[in-house]
Structures are given as structure tokens and as C-alpha cells.
Amino acid sequence: GSETADGIDFALNYNTNTSIGLFDTRFLLTWLDSRVSTVTVPVEASGFFADNAGFFEGAYPEWKANWTVDWSFGNFGASTNVEYIDGVEELDFLLNPVESEIYVDLTLRYSFDWGTEITGGITNIFDNGAPFIIDGFNANTDPDTYRQLGRSWFARVTHRF
């Protein structure tokens, strides 16, 4: 078998220090022009959820993007991340549309002067579920592309020695 892919990745980073803190933003954009997977027969997968002759392949959206904005001021910090996954068509007996997804995360942090940092946040703020894909191997979706959990919370304590 073989797999080939063609596309363009674009990244833009910018930061600025202001009187109200340091702002750092990152924007990543991927355009998938072509992805061909050959297990038994060649299958063009760009923009599709591909199931190649019974072998699980996955969702290959034509467009994906991530945008992160991070703010820090003294010992405080916050960041938000927005992830966009373009819709795909499922290659089944009929073409089944799989809608695009947007996930939004929020993180807050505080750094103590002695090297300890406390971080907490919410992932998938809008509680988007994974899309239903008829031929999806796990839970009728693609866990490599879409988030399996709805909204979730986390907390973390780290210390640097």
C-alpha cells in the first residue's frame, strides 16, 4: 500500500508587549489538496471520510485551522484556542455529509515566584459532540480528528526545580 498527500501549511505568529500585558497570537492553517491512499485500490480522500475496502482510514478535511491568543501580565495568564475542522463527505453507499466542527478552549494560570504554576481550564466550551460517521470504527466517528468528550474541566500544578 501507499499514501501520498499534497497541500499547504501556513503559520503566522505575532506578539506585542503593551501596558496591560504581553499578547501572543498564533494562527495555523492547513489546506489539503489531495490525499490518496492505496490499500487495495486507490482512494482520493481529500474532503472525505475514507473507508478503503473495509480498512479504516479516517476523516481528511480540506481545511483545518487553529488560532490561539495568549495573554500574560506579571504572574497571571490566560489563553484561548479555537480549532476549526472543515466538513467532509462520508464515502459510503451514498455521500453522507459530515458537518464542520469548531472547538473552543479557555485556560487560566498563575505562576508563583518560587517556581510553582497552577493552571485550570475548560476544553470544548460549547460542548460540541463528535459527528456521527456511519463507517467510523470507534463510536461511529473518527477519534483521530474529532473530540470524543464534550465539555471538560482540568487543573494542573507544576513545579520547576
Side-chain angles (χ1 to χ4, degrees):
S2 66
E3 290 196 43
T4 60
D6 296 307
I8 296 173
D9 292 328
F10 174 79
L12 178 66
N13 297 315
Y14 178 77
N15 63 49
T16 186
N17 204 353
T18 69
S19 62
I20 59 170
L22 174 67
F23 290 89
D24 185 16
T25 186
R26 293 172 296 283
F27 180 72
L28 307 170
L29 179 68
T30 298
W31 172 60
L32 180 63
D33 180 41
S34 170
R35 181 171 179 128
V36 177
S37 176
T38 303
V39 175
T40 54
V41 296
V43 173
E44 168 59 54
S46 175
F48 293 95
F49 175 89
D51 180 11
N52 193 346
F55 296 96
F56 175 75
E57 293 294 320
Y60 298 104
E62 187 177 0
W63 294 96
K64 288 180 83 172
N66 272 295
W67 181 40
T68 302
V69 176
D70 185 79
W71 166 80
S72 58
F73 185 76
N75 293 3
F76 292 96
S79 65
T80 186
N81 183 68
V82 178
E83 178 184 9
Y84 171 77
I85 303 168
D86 197 15
V88 297
E89 296 284 339
E90 182 177 7
L91 292 172
D92 197 39
F93 294 109
L94 301 172
L95 288 179
N96 302 311
V98 177
E99 297 296 322
S100 61
E101 285 292 335
I102 296 177
Y103 300 109
V104 179
D105 307 324
L106 178 64
T107 303
L108 302 172
R109 65 185 178 278
Y110 182 81
S111 298
F112 294 95
D113 294 332
W114 59 81
T116 300
E117 183 175 87
I118 297 173
T119 305
I122 306 171
T123 61
N124 195 2
I125 289 174
F126 299 111
D127 201 22
N128 295 353
F132 179 76
I133 299 173
I134 294 170
D135 288 331
F137 182 69
N138 288 324
N140 287 103
T141 193
D142 179 8
D144 292 331
T145 303
Y146 305 102
R147 298 188 189 183
Q148 300 306 291
L149 298 176
R151 180 183 309 115
S152 61
W153 305 76
F154 70 92
R156 176 177 59 232
V157 176
T158 56
H159 183 76
R160 290 180 176 74
F161 295 93

mmCIF file with all atom_site columns, all heavy atoms in Angstrom, residues 21-39:
data_model
loop_
_atom_site.group_PDB
_atom_site.id
_atom_site.type_symbol
_atom_site.label_atom_id
_atom_site.label_alt_id
_atom_site.label_comp_id
_atom_site.label_asym_id
_atom_site.label_entity_id
_atom_site.label_seq_id
_atom_site.pdbx_PDB_ins_code
_atom_site.Cartn_x
_atom_site.Cartn_y
_atom_site.Cartn_z
_atom_site.occupancy
_atom_site.B_iso_or_equiv
_atom_site.pdbx_formal_charge
_atom_site.auth_seq_id
_atom_site.auth_comp_id
_atom_site.auth_asym_id
_atom_site.auth_atom_id
_atom_site.pdbx_PDB_model_num
ATOM 1   N N   . GLY A 1 21 ? -0.127 44.036 29.411 1.00 0.00 ? 21 GLY A N   1
ATOM 2   C CA  . GLY A 1 21 ? 0.417  42.691 29.347 1.00 0.00 ? 21 GLY A CA  1
ATOM 3   C C   . GLY A 1 21 ? 0.954  42.323 27.982 1.00 0.00 ? 21 GLY A C   1
ATOM 4   O O   . GLY A 1 21 ? 0.884  43.087 27.015 1.00 0.00 ? 21 GLY A O   1
ATOM 5   N N   . LEU A 1 22 ? 1.509  41.125 27.930 1.00 0.00 ? 22 LEU A N   1
ATOM 6   C CA  . LEU A 1 22 ? 2.060  40.572 26.697 1.00 0.00 ? 22 LEU A CA  1
ATOM 7   C C   . LEU A 1 22 ? 0.979  39.769 25.987 1.00 0.00 ? 22 LEU A C   1
ATOM 8   O O   . LEU A 1 22 ? 0.355  38.893 26.589 1.00 0.00 ? 22 LEU A O   1
ATOM 9   C CB  . LEU A 1 22 ? 3.258  39.675 27.000 1.00 0.00 ? 22 LEU A CB  1
ATOM 10  C CG  . LEU A 1 22 ? 3.852  38.904 25.827 1.00 0.00 ? 22 LEU A CG  1
ATOM 11  C CD1 . LEU A 1 22 ? 4.487  39.867 24.818 1.00 0.00 ? 22 LEU A CD1 1
ATOM 12  C CD2 . LEU A 1 22 ? 4.885  37.900 26.320 1.00 0.00 ? 22 LEU A CD2 1
ATOM 13  N N   . PHE A 1 23 ? 0.746  40.066 24.723 1.00 0.00 ? 23 PHE A N   1
ATOM 14  C CA  . PHE A 1 23 ? -0.202 39.324 23.901 1.00 0.00 ? 23 PHE A CA  1
ATOM 15  C C   . PHE A 1 23 ? 0.575  38.541 22.857 1.00 0.00 ? 23 PHE A C   1
ATOM 16  O O   . PHE A 1 23 ? 1.430  39.091 22.162 1.00 0.00 ? 23 PHE A O   1
ATOM 17  C CB  . PHE A 1 23 ? -1.197 40.267 23.210 1.00 0.00 ? 23 PHE A CB  1
ATOM 18  C CG  . PHE A 1 23 ? -2.167 40.888 24.156 1.00 0.00 ? 23 PHE A CG  1
ATOM 19  C CD1 . PHE A 1 23 ? -1.870 42.090 24.785 1.00 0.00 ? 23 PHE A CD1 1
ATOM 20  C CD2 . PHE A 1 23 ? -3.376 40.268 24.430 1.00 0.00 ? 23 PHE A CD2 1
ATOM 21  C CE1 . PHE A 1 23 ? -2.758 42.670 25.662 1.00 0.00 ? 23 PHE A CE1 1
ATOM 22  C CE2 . PHE A 1 23 ? -4.272 40.841 25.310 1.00 0.00 ? 23 PHE A CE2 1
ATOM 23  C CZ  . PHE A 1 23 ? -3.967 42.051 25.944 1.00 0.00 ? 23 PHE A CZ  1
ATOM 24  N N   . ASP A 1 24 ? 0.280  37.266 22.759 1.00 0.00 ? 24 ASP A N   1
ATOM 25  C CA  . ASP A 1 24 ? 0.940  36.387 21.798 1.00 0.00 ? 24 ASP A CA  1
ATOM 26  C C   . ASP A 1 24 ? -0.153 35.647 21.033 1.00 0.00 ? 24 ASP A C   1
ATOM 27  O O   . ASP A 1 24 ? -1.030 35.037 21.638 1.00 0.00 ? 24 ASP A O   1
ATOM 28  C CB  . ASP A 1 24 ? 1.846  35.397 22.533 1.00 0.00 ? 24 ASP A CB  1
ATOM 29  C CG  . ASP A 1 24 ? 2.651  34.521 21.606 1.00 0.00 ? 24 ASP A CG  1
ATOM 30  O OD1 . ASP A 1 24 ? 2.756  34.839 20.408 1.00 0.00 ? 24 ASP A OD1 1
ATOM 31  O OD2 . ASP A 1 24 ? 3.200  33.506 22.091 1.00 0.00 ? 24 ASP A OD2 1
ATOM 32  N N   . THR A 1 25 ? -0.130 35.712 19.722 1.00 0.00 ? 25 THR A N   1
ATOM 33  C CA  . THR A 1 25 ? -1.141 35.022 18.920 1.00 0.00 ? 25 THR A CA  1
ATOM 34  C C   . THR A 1 25 ? -0.471 34.145 17.877 1.00 0.00 ? 25 THR A C   1
ATOM 35  O O   . THR A 1 25 ? 0.580  34.482 17.345 1.00 0.00 ? 25 THR A O   1
ATOM 36  C CB  . THR A 1 25 ? -2.124 36.023 18.268 1.00 0.00 ? 25 THR A CB  1
ATOM 37  O OG1 . THR A 1 25 ? -3.164 35.294 17.621 1.00 0.00 ? 25 THR A OG1 1
ATOM 38  C CG2 . THR A 1 25 ? -1.441 36.933 17.274 1.00 0.00 ? 25 THR A CG2 1
ATOM 39  N N   . ARG A 1 26 ? -1.082 32.997 17.640 1.00 0.00 ? 26 ARG A N   1
ATOM 40  C CA  . ARG A 1 26 ? -0.598 32.037 16.649 1.00 0.00 ? 26 ARG A CA  1
ATOM 41  C C   . ARG A 1 26 ? -1.793 31.578 15.810 1.00 0.00 ? 26 ARG A C   1
ATOM 42  O O   . ARG A 1 26 ? -2.833 31.219 16.351 1.00 0.00 ? 26 ARG A O   1
ATOM 43  C CB  . ARG A 1 26 ? 0.044  30.836 17.335 1.00 0.00 ? 26 ARG A CB  1
ATOM 44  C CG  . ARG A 1 26 ? 1.324  31.176 18.058 1.00 0.00 ? 26 ARG A CG  1
ATOM 45  C CD  . ARG A 1 26 ? 1.854  30.018 18.889 1.00 0.00 ? 26 ARG A CD  1
ATOM 46  N NE  . ARG A 1 26 ? 0.991  29.591 19.988 1.00 0.00 ? 26 ARG A NE  1
ATOM 47  C CZ  . ARG A 1 26 ? 0.862  30.228 21.143 1.00 0.00 ? 26 ARG A CZ  1
ATOM 48  N NH1 . ARG A 1 26 ? 1.492  31.340 21.369 1.00 0.00 ? 26 ARG A NH1 1
ATOM 49  N NH2 . ARG A 1 26 ? 0.079  29.756 22.090 1.00 0.00 ? 26 ARG A NH2 1
ATOM 50  N N   . PHE A 1 27 ? -1.596 31.596 14.506 1.00 0.00 ? 27 PHE A N   1
ATOM 51  C CA  . PHE A 1 27 ? -2.636 31.136 13.581 1.00 0.00 ? 27 PHE A CA  1
ATOM 52  C C   . PHE A 1 27 ? -2.013 30.090 12.667 1.00 0.00 ? 27 PHE A C   1
ATOM 53  O O   . PHE A 1 27 ? -0.990 30.338 12.027 1.00 0.00 ? 27 PHE A O   1
ATOM 54  C CB  . PHE A 1 27 ? -3.177 32.308 12.763 1.00 0.00 ? 27 PHE A CB  1
ATOM 55  C CG  . PHE A 1 27 ? -4.248 31.906 11.794 1.00 0.00 ? 27 PHE A CG  1
ATOM 56  C CD1 . PHE A 1 27 ? -5.510 31.554 12.244 1.00 0.00 ? 27 PHE A CD1 1
ATOM 57  C CD2 . PHE A 1 27 ? -3.987 31.863 10.436 1.00 0.00 ? 27 PHE A CD2 1
ATOM 58  C CE1 . PHE A 1 27 ? -6.503 31.172 11.355 1.00 0.00 ? 27 PHE A CE1 1
ATOM 59  C CE2 . PHE A 1 27 ? -4.973 31.482 9.538  1.00 0.00 ? 27 PHE A CE2 1
ATOM 60  C CZ  . PHE A 1 27 ? -6.238 31.140 9.998  1.00 0.00 ? 27 PHE A CZ  1
ATOM 61  N N   . LEU A 1 28 ? -2.611 28.913 12.634 1.00 0.00 ? 28 LEU A N   1
ATOM 62  C CA  . LEU A 1 28 ? -2.153 27.817 11.784 1.00 0.00 ? 28 LEU A CA  1
ATOM 63  C C   . LEU A 1 28 ? -3.291 27.418 10.855 1.00 0.00 ? 28 LEU A C   1
ATOM 64  O O   . LEU A 1 28 ? -4.417 27.218 11.296 1.00 0.00 ? 28 LEU A O   1
ATOM 65  C CB  . LEU A 1 28 ? -1.743 26.607 12.632 1.00 0.00 ? 28 LEU A CB  1
ATOM 66  C CG  . LEU A 1 28 ? -0.737 26.857 13.744 1.00 0.00 ? 28 LEU A CG  1
ATOM 67  C CD1 . LEU A 1 28 ? -0.624 25.644 14.646 1.00 0.00 ? 28 LEU A CD1 1
ATOM 68  C CD2 . LEU A 1 28 ? 0.609  27.212 13.153 1.00 0.00 ? 28 LEU A CD2 1
ATOM 69  N N   . LEU A 1 29 ? -2.986 27.294 9.575  1.00 0.00 ? 29 LEU A N   1
ATOM 70  C CA  . LEU A 1 29 ? -3.993 26.944 8.576  1.00 0.00 ? 29 LEU A CA  1
ATOM 71  C C   . LEU A 1 29 ? -3.434 25.849 7.680  1.00 0.00 ? 29 LEU A C   1
ATOM 72  O O   . LEU A 1 29 ? -2.281 25.930 7.232  1.00 0.00 ? 29 LEU A O   1
ATOM 73  C CB  . LEU A 1 29 ? -4.344 28.175 7.731  1.00 0.00 ? 29 LEU A CB  1
ATOM 74  C CG  . LEU A 1 29 ? -5.373 27.977 6.621  1.00 0.00 ? 29 LEU A CG  1
ATOM 75  C CD1 . LEU A 1 29 ? -6.751 27.688 7.217  1.00 0.00 ? 29 LEU A CD1 1
ATOM 76  C CD2 . LEU A 1 29 ? -5.423 29.204 5.734  1.00 0.00 ? 29 LEU A CD2 1
ATOM 77  N N   . THR A 1 30 ? -4.216 24.819 7.450  1.00 0.00 ? 30 THR A N   1
ATOM 78  C CA  . THR A 1 30 ? -3.817 23.727 6.572  1.00 0.00 ? 30 THR A CA  1
ATOM 79  C C   . THR A 1 30 ? -4.859 23.551 5.487  1.00 0.00 ? 30 THR A C   1
ATOM 80  O O   . THR A 1 30 ? -6.056 23.480 5.769  1.00 0.00 ? 30 THR A O   1
ATOM 81  C CB  . THR A 1 30 ? -3.672 22.407 7.359  1.00 0.00 ? 30 THR A CB  1
ATOM 82  O OG1 . THR A 1 30 ? -2.647 22.559 8.329  1.00 0.00 ? 30 THR A OG1 1
ATOM 83  C CG2 . THR A 1 30 ? -3.334 21.246 6.444  1.00 0.00 ? 30 THR A CG2 1
ATOM 84  N N   . TRP A 1 31 ? -4.381 23.481 4.260  1.00 0.00 ? 31 TRP A N   1
ATOM 85  C CA  . TRP A 1 31 ? -5.232 23.169 3.111  1.00 0.00 ? 31 TRP A CA  1
ATOM 86  C C   . TRP A 1 31 ? -4.748 21.854 2.527  1.00 0.00 ? 31 TRP A C   1
ATOM 87  O O   . TRP A 1 31 ? -3.581 21.716 2.144  1.00 0.00 ? 31 TRP A O   1
ATOM 88  C CB  . TRP A 1 31 ? -5.160 24.272 2.064  1.00 0.00 ? 31 TRP A CB  1
ATOM 89  C CG  . TRP A 1 31 ? -5.866 23.924 0.789  1.00 0.00 ? 31 TRP A CG  1
ATOM 90  C CD1 . TRP A 1 31 ? -7.184 23.630 0.618  1.00 0.00 ? 31 TRP A CD1 1
ATOM 91  C CD2 . TRP A 1 31 ? -5.272 23.812 -0.504 1.00 0.00 ? 31 TRP A CD2 1
ATOM 92  N NE1 . TRP A 1 31 ? -7.464 23.357 -0.687 1.00 0.00 ? 31 TRP A NE1 1
ATOM 93  C CE2 . TRP A 1 31 ? -6.289 23.460 -1.408 1.00 0.00 ? 31 TRP A CE2 1
ATOM 94  C CE3 . TRP A 1 31 ? -3.976 23.977 -0.981 1.00 0.00 ? 31 TRP A CE3 1
ATOM 95  C CZ2 . TRP A 1 31 ? -6.053 23.260 -2.761 1.00 0.00 ? 31 TRP A CZ2 1
ATOM 96  C CZ3 . TRP A 1 31 ? -3.746 23.785 -2.327 1.00 0.00 ? 31 TRP A CZ3 1
ATOM 97  C CH2 . TRP A 1 31 ? -4.773 23.433 -3.204 1.00 0.00 ? 31 TRP A CH2 1
ATOM 98  N N   . LEU A 1 32 ? -5.615 20.870 2.503  1.00 0.00 ? 32 LEU A N   1
ATOM 99  C CA  . LEU A 1 32 ? -5.294 19.559 1.956  1.00 0.00 ? 32 LEU A CA  1
ATOM 100 C C   . LEU A 1 32 ? -5.844 19.481 0.545  1.00 0.00 ? 32 LEU A C   1
ATOM 101 O O   . LEU A 1 32 ? -7.054 19.403 0.345  1.00 0.00 ? 32 LEU A O   1
ATOM 102 C CB  . LEU A 1 32 ? -5.899 18.450 2.823  1.00 0.00 ? 32 LEU A CB  1
ATOM 103 C CG  . LEU A 1 32 ? -5.643 17.021 2.386  1.00 0.00 ? 32 LEU A CG  1
ATOM 104 C CD1 . LEU A 1 32 ? -4.150 16.697 2.420  1.00 0.00 ? 32 LEU A CD1 1
ATOM 105 C CD2 . LEU A 1 32 ? -6.420 16.056 3.273  1.00 0.00 ? 32 LEU A CD2 1
ATOM 106 N N   . ASP A 1 33 ? -4.947 19.539 -0.434 1.00 0.00 ? 33 ASP A N   1
ATOM 107 C CA  . ASP A 1 33 ? -5.353 19.494 -1.838 1.00 0.00 ? 33 ASP A CA  1
ATOM 108 C C   . ASP A 1 33 ? -5.679 18.076 -2.264 1.00 0.00 ? 33 ASP A C   1
ATOM 109 O O   . ASP A 1 33 ? -6.680 17.820 -2.919 1.00 0.00 ? 33 ASP A O   1
ATOM 110 C CB  . ASP A 1 33 ? -4.249 20.079 -2.716 1.00 0.00 ? 33 ASP A CB  1
ATOM 111 C CG  . ASP A 1 33 ? -4.611 20.053 -4.191 1.00 0.00 ? 33 ASP A CG  1
ATOM 112 O OD1 . ASP A 1 33 ? -5.777 20.344 -4.524 1.00 0.00 ? 33 ASP A OD1 1
ATOM 113 O OD2 . ASP A 1 33 ? -3.722 19.744 -5.010 1.00 0.00 ? 33 ASP A OD2 1
ATOM 114 N N   . SER A 1 34 ? -4.823 17.142 -1.881 1.00 0.00 ? 34 SER A N   1
ATOM 115 C CA  . SER A 1 34 ? -5.006 15.766 -2.330 1.00 0.00 ? 34 SER A CA  1
ATOM 116 C C   . SER A 1 34 ? -4.401 14.815 -1.314 1.00 0.00 ? 34 SER A C   1
ATOM 117 O O   . SER A 1 34 ? -3.320 15.053 -0.783 1.00 0.00 ? 34 SER A O   1
ATOM 118 C CB  . SER A 1 34 ? -4.312 15.581 -3.685 1.00 0.00 ? 34 SER A CB  1
ATOM 119 O OG  . SER A 1 34 ? -4.275 14.226 -4.043 1.00 0.00 ? 34 SER A OG  1
ATOM 120 N N   . ARG A 1 35 ? -5.103 13.742 -1.035 1.00 0.00 ? 35 ARG A N   1
ATOM 121 C CA  . ARG A 1 35 ? -4.569 12.653 -0.220 1.00 0.00 ? 35 ARG A CA  1
ATOM 122 C C   . ARG A 1 35 ? -5.078 11.369 -0.834 1.00 0.00 ? 35 ARG A C   1
ATOM 123 O O   . ARG A 1 35 ? -6.279 11.127 -0.883 1.00 0.00 ? 35 ARG A O   1
ATOM 124 C CB  . ARG A 1 35 ? -4.991 12.758 1.224  1.00 0.00 ? 35 ARG A CB  1
ATOM 125 C CG  . ARG A 1 35 ? -4.388 11.615 2.031  1.00 0.00 ? 35 ARG A CG  1
ATOM 126 C CD  . ARG A 1 35 ? -4.587 11.786 3.506  1.00 0.00 ? 35 ARG A CD  1
ATOM 127 N NE  . ARG A 1 35 ? -4.009 10.653 4.191  1.00 0.00 ? 35 ARG A NE  1
ATOM 128 C CZ  . ARG A 1 35 ? -3.147 10.762 5.173  1.00 0.00 ? 35 ARG A CZ  1
ATOM 129 N NH1 . ARG A 1 35 ? -2.752 11.949 5.578  1.00 0.00 ? 35 ARG A NH1 1
ATOM 130 N NH2 . ARG A 1 35 ? -2.679 9.693  5.762  1.00 0.00 ? 35 ARG A NH2 1
ATOM 131 N N   . VAL A 1 36 ? -4.151 10.568 -1.314 1.00 0.00 ? 36 VAL A N   1
ATOM 132 C CA  . VAL A 1 36 ? -4.511 9.316  -1.974 1.00 0.00 ? 36 VAL A CA  1
ATOM 133 C C   . VAL A 1 36 ? -3.964 8.164  -1.145 1.00 0.00 ? 36 VAL A C   1
ATOM 134 O O   . VAL A 1 36 ? -2.777 8.115  -0.829 1.00 0.00 ? 36 VAL A O   1
ATOM 135 C CB  . VAL A 1 36 ? -3.947 9.252  -3.413 1.00 0.00 ? 36 VAL A CB  1
ATOM 136 C CG1 . VAL A 1 36 ? -4.281 7.907  -4.043 1.00 0.00 ? 36 VAL A CG1 1
ATOM 137 C CG2 . VAL A 1 36 ? -4.510 10.391 -4.246 1.00 0.00 ? 36 VAL A CG2 1
ATOM 138 N N   . SER A 1 37 ? -4.848 7.268  -0.783 1.00 0.00 ? 37 SER A N   1
ATOM 139 C CA  . SER A 1 37 ? -4.483 6.094  -0.007 1.00 0.00 ? 37 SER A CA  1
ATOM 140 C C   . SER A 1 37 ? -4.762 4.855  -0.853 1.00 0.00 ? 37 SER A C   1
ATOM 141 O O   . SER A 1 37 ? -5.840 4.704  -1.416 1.00 0.00 ? 37 SER A O   1
ATOM 142 C CB  . SER A 1 37 ? -5.302 6.043  1.277  1.00 0.00 ? 37 SER A CB  1
ATOM 143 O OG  . SER A 1 37 ? -5.015 4.866  1.992  1.00 0.00 ? 37 SER A OG  1
ATOM 144 N N   . THR A 1 38 ? -3.770 3.989  -0.937 1.00 0.00 ? 38 THR A N   1
ATOM 145 C CA  . THR A 1 38 ? -3.934 2.745  -1.691 1.00 0.00 ? 38 THR A CA  1
ATOM 146 C C   . THR A 1 38 ? -3.677 1.575  -0.752 1.00 0.00 ? 38 THR A C   1
ATOM 147 O O   . THR A 1 38 ? -2.561 1.378  -0.300 1.00 0.00 ? 38 THR A O   1
ATOM 148 C CB  . THR A 1 38 ? -2.956 2.670  -2.878 1.00 0.00 ? 38 THR A CB  1
ATOM 149 O OG1 . THR A 1 38 ? -3.156 3.811  -3.705 1.00 0.00 ? 38 THR A OG1 1
ATOM 150 C CG2 . THR A 1 38 ? -3.178 1.406  -3.690 1.00 0.00 ? 38 THR A CG2 1
ATOM 151 N N   . VAL A 1 39 ? -4.738 0.857  -0.410 1.00 0.00 ? 39 VAL A N   1
ATOM 152 C CA  . VAL A 1 39 ? -4.600 -0.384 0.338  1.00 0.00 ? 39 VAL A CA  1
ATOM 153 C C   . VAL A 1 39 ? -4.891 -1.525 -0.631 1.00 0.00 ? 39 VAL A C   1
ATOM 154 O O   . VAL A 1 39 ? -4.076 -2.407 -0.830 1.00 0.00 ? 39 VAL A O   1
ATOM 155 C CB  . VAL A 1 39 ? -5.547 -0.433 1.549  1.00 0.00 ? 39 VAL A CB  1
ATOM 156 C CG1 . VAL A 1 39 ? -5.472 -1.775 2.253  1.00 0.00 ? 39 VAL A CG1 1
ATOM 157 C CG2 . VAL A 1 39 ? -5.221 0.697  2.510  1.00 0.00 ? 39 VAL A CG2 1
#
